[in-house]
Amino acid sequence: ADQTYELLTVETVPGYVAGRPALRALLDPAAITGVREVGDGNLNLVFVVEAPGRGLVLKQSLPYVRVDPTWPITPERNHHEARALRAHGAVAPGYVPEIYDADPDRYVVAIEDLSDHRVWRGALNEGLRHEGVAADLGRYVARVAFGTSVFGLGAKAHKAAVAASVNPHLCEITEDLVFTEPYITHEHNRVLPGNEADVAAYAGDPAVRAAVGAAKLAFMTHAEALIHGDLHTGSVLVRGEGPGTPRSTRAFDVEFAFYGPVGFDIGALWGNYLLAAARAVVLGDDDHAAWVLGLAAETWHSFREEFTGLWPGRDDPRVFGDAVRDAFLAKVYADAAAAGAAKAARRVIGFSRVTDIETLPEEPRVRAVRGVLHAARLLLLEGAATGDPAALFDRAGQVLTD
Ligand code: SR1
Ligand code: MG
């Protein structure tokens, strides 16, 4: 891919900070005590800049996929990240990292250093319980769902925001990797011999394919709110409550943000709860699996409660009565079930795997993948009708072990 801007290195970061007025005002470049590159995702360079008092993090978009440099990907996603961080920070303060600076020429955002947090996926993999995080995330999604929607913004501002947030390249990645490739023969797919029949049964089922197609159409056309767009458990930083330290939950990596269906964000969480539970099941940790599956209802109920609490402040109550709210919530729920299924299934069939599953030895991994596909099928085909998330994920827990 063409490389037309200078990439940061550990050595050049202090000079970069010195050249950015907004960053110089935050910390003295001469006082920087260390720079570490910590990016471990698929796409970006991430530097932690350490300094006495307050450090910061620089995230620079590469013009190609980090884990496959032959695959070009627009660095413009950095602008979407900056826009979404600001928009989400305004309506959901405390749920995303603070943004200090955005450099449109070198595709860098500077954000708050959250080194005292850890990535939630890793904690879940270790069987740790961060109580309250799932509910925090429901509130985050609700505040964004309301605040960036027609209900929160009104008609004109919503249309302007939709236009400014069109993110076609990153949406195309999701359309391909989540909603298409796992259901066709594709070079990105990787299936263990022990799972070939499971994948064929799941992806070849006409009812599954119809439901995934409908979910893809919703993803492509339902411009409800400026959703996160990639809200898996690896996009969440958590800090547990301790003496003198309050709990903190932050959604990060918002480069996939665009105007889409709110249920896609709830579904991303639900799908990743399934993956975490599947891991716990095959490792014999039934208590952790049950706790993780219970998070789906926690996220949903806090989402619904927060959204309902914001509802009296909506734009245009003349026609947006409570029946509209209830229909909207029912749609979010149905979209979440379908998106959750698609998000879980893509992680065990297609490109971009997750440590929940990939770090398992082969025999339990085969069982975990089988369970995930059974649960995904359940969510796709019966999720919308099972309007109670506790009941739905209770049944998902049963089919995880089939
Ligand atoms: C090529 S990008 C692969 C995946 O990484 C991101 O986290 C998204 O989930 C995307 O689908
Ligand atoms: Mg990401």
Side-chain angles (χ1 to χ4, degrees):
D2 286 346
Q3 175 63 62
T4 55
Y5 57 98
E6 190 185 336
L7 295 181
L8 292 168
T9 65
V10 165
E11 289 74 29
T12 61
V13 159
Y16 177 82
V17 171
R20 299 293 300 175
L23 302 184
R24 242 181 9 238
L26 277 177
L27 63 81
D28 174 6
I32 291 173
T33 52
V35 179
R36 289 178 290 129
E37 207 284 311
V38 297
D40 65 350
N42 290 319
L43 301 176
N44 304 294
L45 297 174
V46 182
F47 298 90
V48 175
V49 184
E50 294 163 352
R54 171 162 55 179
L56 54 83
V57 167
L58 300 177
K59 176 174 174 183
Q60 184 174 40
S61 297
L62 292 163
Y64 47 80
V65 173
R66 181 176 173 140
V67 293
D68 178 1
T70 66
W71 183 348
I73 176 169
T74 178
E76 299 294 321
R77 64 188 186 279
N78 202 267
H79 306 333
H80 289 287
E81 174 134 28
R83 176 182 295 280
L85 275 176
R86 290 190 171 115
H88 289 192
V91 298
Y95 290 106
V96 290
E98 192 180 337
I99 174 166
Y100 301 139
D101 189 30
D103 177 351
D105 301 320
R106 287 179 68 183
Y107 304 103
V108 178
V109 288
I111 59 176
E112 187 180 4
D113 177 18
L114 295 167
S115 298
D116 59 345
H117 293 54
R118 64 176 300 187
V119 176
W120 197 20
R121 187 185 302 285
L124 289 168
N125 281 350
E126 289 173 27
L128 299 177
R129 298 184 181 189
H130 284 80
E131 300 289 354
V133 167
D136 286 343
L137 291 168
R139 280 186 283 277
Y140 160 64
V141 175
R143 297 198 69 82
V144 168
F146 183 86
T148 67
S149 70
V150 162
F151 305 127
L153 291 177
K156 282 202 181 76
H158 173 259
K159 286 179 179 63
V162 171
S165 307
V166 174
N167 193 357
H169 194 170
L170 280 277
C171 284
E172 183 185 33
I173 288 176
T174 302
E175 289 150 19
D176 289 345
L177 270 56
V178 175
F179 291 116
T180 307
E181 292 174 6
Y183 303 91
I184 61 175
T185 301
H186 196 282
E187 62 185 2
H188 281 160
N189 296 341
R190 190 163 41 83
V191 179
L192 290 167
N195 286 130
E196 274 169 12
D198 305 310
V199 171
Y202 170 79
D205 181 339
V208 164
R209 297 170 75 90
V212 168
K216 178 174 179 177
L217 183 61
F219 178 84
M220 295 173 81
T221 59
H222 296 182
E224 293 167 356
L226 181 61
I227 66 171
H228 180 290
D230 197 24
L231 191 55
H232 54 83
T233 51
S235 293
V236 177
L237 289 167
V238 296
R239 185 186 64 199
E241 198 175 337
T245 312
R247 178 180 84 237
S248 173
T249 304
R250 309 292 187 99
F252 69 107
D253 249 1
V254 288
E255 63 206 316
F256 282 78
F258 79 113
Y259 264 81
V262 169
F264 189 76
D265 277 354
I266 299 276
L269 293 166
W270 283 4
N272 280 270
Y273 299 158
L274 283 182
L275 294 161
R279 174 188 180 84
V281 163
V282 299
L283 292 179
D285 192 347
D286 291 346
D287 284 351
H288 189 59
W291 180 81
V292 170
L293 290 167
L295 300 178
E298 234 181 86
T299 295
W300 174 255
H301 291 307
S302 71
F303 164 78
R304 193 178 59 185
E305 192 178 316
E306 187 77 7
F307 190 89
T308 302
L310 293 165
W311 184 248
R314 69 197 175 280
D315 189 69
D316 207 355
R318 293 170 305 174
V319 287
F320 294 149
D322 289 355
V324 172
R325 177 199 62 201
D326 293 345
F328 178 73
L329 291 172
K331 178 189 182 296
V332 172
Y333 186 92
D335 285 348
K343 295 281 272 182
R346 60 79 62 110
R347 297 292 190 188
V348 299
I349 302 174
F351 188 84
S352 189
R353 301 306 182 100
V354 287
T355 51
D356 320 35
I357 306 298
E358 293 300 299
T359 58
L360 294 167
E362 181 161 335
E363 188 276 325
R365 187 161 18 128
V366 166
R367 285 191 284 124
V369 168
R370 184 172 299 138
V372 167
L373 294 176
H374 287 161
R377 188 171 187 283
L378 172 77
L379 261 63
L380 276 172
L381 304 188
E382 299 176 48
T386 313
D388 168 16
L392 179 61
F393 279 80
D394 194 46
R395 289 186 59 205
Q398 290 162 19
V399 301
L400 277 179
T401 53
D402 280 355

